[in-house]
Amino acid sequence: MDKIEITGGQKLSGQIEISGAKNAALPLMITSLLTPETLTLKNVPNLRDVNQLKIILGNHGTDLTVDGKRANGNKYIGDTVHLTARDIVDTTAPYEMVSTMRASFWVLGPLLARCHEAKVSLPGGCAIGTRPVDLHLQGLEDLGAQIDLEDGYVLAKAPGGLRGGRVRFSKVSVGATINVLMAATLAKGETIIENAAIEPEIGDVANCLVKMGAKIEGIGRKTLQIQGVDALEGAVHTVLPDRIETGTFLMAVAATGGEVELIGALPETLTAAIDVLTTAGVEITPTDRGLKVARRNTPLNPIHIETQPHPGFPTDLQAQLMALMTIADGRSVIRETIFENRFMHVQELARLGANISLNGDTAIIEGVSILNGAPVMATDLRASVSLVIAGLVADGKTQINRVYHLDRGFEKIEEKLSNCGAQIERVSD
Ligand code: EPZ
């Protein structure tokens, strides 16, 4: 199993290209189930989760081809993937597939909308919390689906097809919003989704659906209005840049010091994180091509934040911010309000000398003047990358085990960082 070894202490300087967003690419790929025509997606990041979803979609009958050459020979430009679900050959998403990647549960809405039936395994628990799917099911029932649970599977039927309805989510959910939005595009009549999530990835999916012929109003707002159509067509769409990867590199440079330009970064997709880092004393300025981040020899100010749905501070950057605050000048407080168990990085950061105490959903971080390298274990995607950030500043060598978590969501991270001067390498057993 691969490991990542980092020798800390180098400032970062140079440029990093931001890849396409994992959390947009996954649902965008799933929208291909809604049409028999070809959906072409550009800038698809080469990640484990993306490759796993290709297998899952293939099981439903999607033909996938990937362009052989990358434009301009640029290795971070992403793949161009053509997805054609001419015939859906299987409306079942089995446990073995859904359990490896929760986003695959989102095939439920499109399969139900197009084939009027679907059988999808419940995703089960996961390392960061229980993550129920009640909002997905309630939303689809509001569109007329009949839903039963049997042997760990959701059995959904909509004889004669889904019909538009009023969906009011009691809690903001990215996945439920995407699932119901996709389903509503082919339902008969009008659907109103209230208290929808407004993460930029949802806007990206909605914009792609519009290119495919869907009628959606209110994109980017908390109320979405969808007029169902009889069929969707093919389209060409470019995946938006990854705001979580962007935020991760902002924090890496904030931790090590130095100056890096993040090419392709979209500042408007991560204003909360930029505000927090600016408060912490990090210099962030927009450029023609993205964002420049710098920290000179100034100390880091501690921060107090809580994670919130967009446009608040994202839970997917909580672990990275915590890694940064381990070396701040004073006490920081981070409250996690989205997932109840998203603190697995705390004990690993402690192995590097961080001083963090947990009280329920709140972490209190007393900044220390130095971290020391040590072997650590990656536990989930964002927790793993927080260990990379800590390893970049720690004195001596940090070895990160189980890096397959990192490969789920960060494209060529060791290459991108080493191009900026980090001493980081992948070691295979
Ligand atoms: C998406 O997960 C992302 N995944 C997550 O990114 C991200 O952390 C999360 O949104 C929040 O931003 C993808 O985009 C593939 P939710 P999702 O439904 O949709 C509760 C990463 O690291 N809830 O918005 O599963 C839920 O338990 C991943 O890239 C219900 O109660 O998250 C949580 O407390 C991890 N019932 C809250 O809502 C439901 O039916 C928000 O979850 C659904 C969710």
Side-chain angles (χ1 to χ4, degrees):
M1 220 180 283
D2 288 0
K3 299 180 175 70
I4 287 206
E5 283 186 357
I6 304 173
T7 305
Q10 313 297 319
K11 289 190 176 183
L12 296 173
S13 76
Q15 294 175 343
I16 295 179
E17 300 213 24
I18 299 303
S19 296
K22 168 182 84 84
N23 288 349
L26 297 176
L28 283 166
M29 289 167 70
I30 292 174
T31 63
S32 68
L33 294 174
L34 288 162
T35 174
E37 297 185 13
T38 300
L39 174 66
T40 297
L41 296 175
K42 298 183 177 176
N43 199 31
V44 177
N46 192 351
L47 299 170
R48 254 170 57 107
D49 273 11
V50 165
N51 292 327
Q52 176 64 20
L53 185 59
K54 287 180 187 164
I55 297 169
I56 293 168
L57 293 175
N59 181 58
H60 293 303
T62 305
D63 286 328
L64 281 121
T65 54
V66 179
D67 281 2
K69 278 198 178 158
R70 292 177 163 209
N72 310 324
N74 181 331
K75 49 194 170 194
Y76 306 119
I77 205 93
D79 287 331
T80 296
V81 182
H82 308 275
L83 303 103
T84 315
R86 199 170 314 283
D87 298 303
I88 302 289
V89 297
D90 194 343
T91 54
T92 299
Y95 174 74
E96 308 77 72
M97 292 185 172
V98 180
S99 62
T100 57
M101 190 186 29
R102 189 182 155 86
S104 54
F105 185 75
W106 304 351
V107 300
L108 179 62
L111 289 176
L112 191 53
R114 183 162 161 199
C115 308
H116 305 173
E117 58 164 44
K119 179 178 175 185
V120 179
S121 168
L122 286 163
C126 100
I128 62 175
T130 50
R131 303 181 82 183
V133 291
D134 55 320
L135 300 170
H136 299 241
L137 303 186
Q138 181 63 54
L140 293 170
E141 280 178 341
D142 290 342
L143 302 191
Q146 299 160 9
I147 295 193
D148 290 303
L149 299 183
E150 207 176 285
D151 303 330
Y153 278 81
V154 174
L155 305 183
K157 284 202 174 74
L162 291 171
R163 48 172 171 70
R166 199 172 198 93
V167 179
R168 183 171 166 77
F169 289 123
S170 55
K171 185 172 182 179
V172 177
S173 161
V174 171
T177 301
I178 289 177
N179 219 339
V180 175
L181 170 65
M182 291 191 289
T185 59
L186 291 182
K188 283 192 194 71
E190 182 180 75
T191 296
I192 309 275
I193 305 179
E194 292 173 343
N195 201 24
I198 54 168
E199 269 63 7
E201 294 76 23
I202 295 172
D204 206 32
V205 171
N207 286 328
C208 178
L209 287 167
V210 168
K211 288 183 194 165
M212 294 164 72
K215 295 203 161 38
I216 305 170
E217 298 283 334
I219 296 173
R221 298 203 290 271
K222 293 196 73 59
T223 301
L224 291 165
Q225 214 171 328
I226 304 115
Q227 301 291 341
V229 294
D230 290 340
L232 294 180
E233 12 183 277
V236 179
H237 185 79
T238 303
V239 179
L240 97 166
D242 197 317
R243 68 192 164 100
I244 304 302
E245 189 196 27
T246 304
T248 301
F249 288 129
L250 288 178
M251 291 184 207
V253 179
T256 62
E259 181 174 312
V260 171
E261 188 178 12
L262 302 177
I263 313 287
L266 287 182
E268 62 274 25
T269 61
L270 74 165
T271 47
I274 290 174
D275 287 351
V276 168
L277 288 174
T278 305
T279 306
V282 182
E283 293 170 36
I284 302 178
T285 36
T287 67
D288 292 349
R289 300 187 297 175
L291 272 180
K292 192 179 278 180
V293 51
R295 185 163 74 87
R296 322 234 178 242
N297 292 324
T298 46
L300 280 167
N301 304 318
I303 51 88
H304 286 225
I305 63 122
E306 58 178 40
T307 58
Q308 285 293 338
H310 194 76
F313 189 90
T315 175
D316 290 349
L317 284 174
Q318 179 258 107
Q320 299 90 314
L321 181 65
M322 196 180 300
L324 175 63
M325 287 301 131
T326 61
I327 52 160
D329 196 12
R331 171 185 294 186
S332 297
V333 178
I334 298 181
R335 185 167 166 247
E336 171 59 57
T337 73
I338 308 289
F339 292 113
E340 72 269 24
N341 191 25
R342 209 172 198 182
F343 280 135
M344 280 94 59
H345 41 285
V346 169
Q347 61 189 25
E348 300 302 309
L349 289 170
R351 291 178 57 75
L352 302 177
N355 181 355
I356 306 171
S357 51
L358 283 180
N359 184 4
D361 62 3
T362 303
I364 295 149
I365 307 116
E366 303 285 354
V368 294
S369 54
I370 192 164
L371 296 176
N372 289 297
V376 287
M377 191 74 84
T379 48
D380 80 50
L381 171 55
R382 311 301 175 186
S384 323
V385 87
S386 77
L387 300 175
V388 172
I389 293 174
L392 290 172
V393 278
D395 217 15
K397 191 178 270 190
T398 296
Q399 188 184 64
I400 304 175
N401 295 290
R402 296 207 190 150
V403 293
Y404 56 85
H405 287 293
L406 211 50
D407 296 335
R408 289 186 45 212
F410 289 93
E411 193 174 35
K412 299 199 167 110
I413 187 166
E414 64 276 18
E415 204 175 300
K416 290 186 180 187
L417 287 169
S418 63
N419 286 345
C420 290
Q423 280 188 36
I424 175 168
E425 63 175 348
R426 182 176 292 254
V427 182
S428 301
D429 278 345

